[in-house]
Amino acid sequence: MLPCINWLQPLLALISSTLLTRANNCPSSCLCPDHHTVDCTGQGLTTVPDSIPLDVRRLLLSNNWIPWIPSDFLVLYSDLVYLDLRNNSLSQLEPGTLTTSSRLVFLDLGSNNLTDIPSGTFGESRSLIKLRLGNNPFLTMVDRDAFTGLSSLRELELDRNGLTELDVSVLESLPSLRMLRLEGNPWLCNCQFAKLFAWLTENRHKLPNMEGIECSLPMDGRLVPLSLLSDESFRECRGALTLTDYLIVIFSGISVSVVAIMASFFLASTVHCFQRLSKGSKGDEEDGND
């Protein structure tokens, strides 16, 4: 037993030394003004630095050329609360990248090349309070479950993107939301926008720049500020059916048809059985009379 312990001691010392060194060292291209802050702003980085201290709490990576983040990037940085990735070249986020960021409070992904925010992007980041996703000109889709689990999110920025529509359930899933920015998107004033407009009207106190939100008319593409619209502007949509409604109608019609066919078959079978029984009874009576 003693030789094993003597053999393990140098190995444990090496591991401890490696972890301690990584926890205290500052990346060569960055600044570390205190023990918990790493500032790599504007260093022309194309990848995330490797030697980031394990106990980092504020990580500043803005104004670089970083195109992607490894999916296991945040696994080791359990104390991280502030992450700034603004003005990089991010086009997508790997699934699960942010699911382990249990203490993350601030996340800035603005001014990148993001194209969509799929479901489960942020996992269960229940500590996240402020999320910046503005100034992503190619961002055209936000999945209806993209922000599910962000129960503490208070500020959400989706301004100056390429959004033409947004499922209102995206916003209804944020119980703590206090501030929302949506201006600068090419919204379309169609029936799909009607539900979002109703939500925005009801929650206008959460919009610091309601006057800056515009949508284009379907007929001529003319931009109209939301402040000039009302519920009556979408009165033609009250009887309009959505794709979901059409699917429900179609499914209901098919179901009714199937039930009707089965009922007809059952009724015909029943009548046929009664007819056979009746013929059998008559035959027996005739035999008895003979």
Side-chain angles (χ1 to χ4, degrees), residues 56-215:
V56 62
R57 295 180 183 175
R58 297 180 75 249
L59 180 56
L60 312 177
L61 294 168
S62 61
N63 301 324
N64 286 293
W65 300 97
I66 300 173
W68 70 289
I69 307 173
S71 58
D72 59 348
F73 170 63
L74 294 178
V75 173
L76 294 176
Y77 308 111
S78 58
D79 292 333
L80 190 66
V81 297
Y82 188 104
L83 178 58
D84 186 357
L85 282 161
R86 172 175 38 95
N87 195 25
N88 274 280
S89 302
L90 297 173
S91 58
Q92 64 178 359
L93 296 173
E94 295 289 333
T97 302
L98 301 168
T99 56
T100 56
S101 54
S102 58
R103 296 188 181 182
L104 196 64
V105 173
F106 176 93
L107 176 60
D108 193 342
L109 294 170
S111 301
N112 277 281
N113 298 319
L114 297 176
T115 57
D116 66 315
I117 308 296
S119 175
T121 297
F122 303 99
E124 297 292 325
S125 301
R126 299 186 182 278
S127 298
L128 194 62
I129 293 178
K130 187 166 186 175
L131 176 59
R132 289 180 172 176
L133 292 167
N135 292 291
N136 281 278
F138 304 110
L139 179 57
T140 57
M141 194 279 290
V142 177
D143 191 273
R144 61 181 304 169
D145 297 321
F147 303 136
T148 300
L150 303 185
S151 56
S152 300
L153 192 67
R154 298 181 183 179
E155 299 183 17
L156 174 61
E157 297 183 7
L158 285 168
D159 54 305
R160 294 174 177 81
N161 294 318
L163 297 172
T164 58
E165 60 183 51
L166 182 67
D167 194 315
V168 71
S169 61
V170 170
L171 305 176
E172 292 174 341
S173 65
L174 300 173
S176 302
L177 190 64
R178 298 292 181 270
M179 191 277 287
L180 173 66
R181 295 190 61 182
L182 293 174
E183 68 273 11
N185 284 284
W187 302 110
L188 296 178
C189 294
N190 53 22
C191 291
Q192 292 181 338
F193 187 76
K195 292 183 179 180
L196 178 60
F197 175 77
W199 189 94
L200 295 177
T201 302
E202 184 179 350
N203 296 272
R204 62 172 59 246
H205 58 283
K206 300 179 181 180
L207 304 167
N209 192 14
M210 178 79 167
E211 296 75 14
I213 304 177
E214 299 177 325
C215 62

